[in-house]
Amino acid sequence: MINRRHAIMGLACMAAAGSATVLTPRRRLFLAGPNKLDKAIPSAFGGWVDQPSDALITPDDDDSLAAKVYSQTVGRLYVNDSGAMVMLLIAYGDTQNDLLQLHRPEVCYPAFGFRIDHSAKALIALAPQVEIPGRALTASAPQRIEQVLYWTRIGEHLPTDGREQRIAKLEDQFAGVIPDGVLVRISTIGDDPSEGLALNRRFAMEMMSAMAPIDRPMLIGTAAARQLAGLRGARAA
């Protein structure tokens, strides 16, 4: 005869097995598809032109954890016809899980000797009626101050901090999804946060406008990409 203690232990084991089944990812989500970052991001648009540079804060060498997290990266310096300069880093990882997760700039910049003087959520307009959530930072080093605007996408989520990133990962885990992810970072050198933020926002809007519609979900998710495509389509009509 099964006693009460054995029955409780059996139920606990069944519950644990059920939880493990629920939390086991069953489906991969690749919003990048076959698209390649270096082809998807135009080298010239809206008066901006890509210029050779080694001034970007980028993921570490090929043997680092960052190199294992990211399967594709693009780092560029753009200069416009007015002489303004914007640094762009896009890092894409085809797998986001407990071991491999996007490295947020709040962690990355201090590793390179910068101090984070300011960090706040910021809405990023991709068109007059389309916005996505992101974050604005001021990162300072003895010889350089950067105004940074960035956003991250994990699956269909757009988390703005580490807490939201963990929640996004758990939601996908419960849904049985292994998501891909991307970090899009836009920065300028200068000590005026308002001026740098305005320039970074304008660059983001012009870059997304110049991208092919098929490539946009890789950076902003399918919902925002559909909004953007619908707005462009309505204007064309």
Side-chain angles (χ1 to χ4, degrees):
M1 183 174 182
I2 300 175
N3 61 32
R4 184 170 178 273
R5 179 171 175 270
H6 289 162
I8 291 172
M9 290 177 62
L11 288 172
C13 289
M14 289 174 65
S19 297
T21 300
V22 169
L23 292 174
T24 300
R26 299 178 297 277
R27 178 169 63 89
R28 301 297 295 265
L29 178 63
F30 293 115
L31 293 191
N35 301 342
K36 299 298 182 184
L37 273 178
D38 59 346
K39 303 296 183 183
I41 310 303
S43 59
F45 57 89
W48 297 98
V49 179
D50 175 26
Q51 301 287 335
S53 174
D54 59 359
L56 276 72
I57 303 297
T58 61
D60 295 334
D61 59 49
D62 292 341
D63 294 328
S64 70
L65 176 60
K68 296 178 175 65
V69 172
Y70 304 124
S71 51
Q72 298 185 57
T73 59
V74 167
R76 295 177 184 169
L77 171 68
Y78 286 86
V79 179
N80 71 6
D81 44 19
S82 299
M85 293 187 294
V86 167
M87 292 172 286
L88 173 70
L89 174 71
I90 304 178
Y92 171 81
D94 57 16
T95 301
Q96 298 296 303
N97 57 29
D98 289 333
L99 297 177
L100 301 176
Q101 299 185 53
L102 298 177
H103 295 161
R104 308 186 76 84
E106 298 97 310
V107 176
C108 179
Y109 270 79
F112 283 87
F114 284 78
R115 181 181 69 245
I116 303 298
D117 294 328
H118 170 78
S119 175
K121 292 182 179 181
L123 288 175
I124 304 169
L126 305 180
Q129 300 173 34
V130 181
E131 292 180 327
I132 61 171
R135 183 164 287 271
L137 309 174
T138 298
S140 301
Q143 303 300 323
R144 172 166 157 180
I145 299 176
E146 280 193 37
Q147 307 302 331
V148 182
L149 180 67
Y150 81 90
W151 72 85
T152 58
R153 176 190 65 75
I154 297 179
E156 293 288 7
H157 307 275
L158 297 167
T160 62
D161 57 30
R163 175 180 170 276
E164 291 181 7
Q165 185 167 315
R166 288 189 293 273
I167 291 172
K169 184 193 70 173
L170 282 173
E171 287 181 356
D172 283 337
Q173 196 169 9
F174 274 107
V177 172
I178 301 175
D180 63 352
V182 69
L183 162 72
V184 182
R185 193 189 77 205
I186 301 164
S187 60
T188 62
I189 296 176
D191 57 6
D192 187 329
S194 297
E195 184 178 309
L197 180 59
L199 182 61
N200 290 338
R201 278 178 162 151
R202 178 160 64 91
F203 181 90
M205 181 182 290
E206 291 174 347
M207 179 182 74
M208 294 306 305
S209 178
M211 288 180 65
I214 195 173
D215 294 324
R216 291 177 186 147
M218 173 167 49
L219 300 191
I220 60 176
T222 55
R226 285 195 194 107
Q227 280 186 288
L228 202 53
L231 183 61
R232 306 289 182 199
R235 286 180 176 175

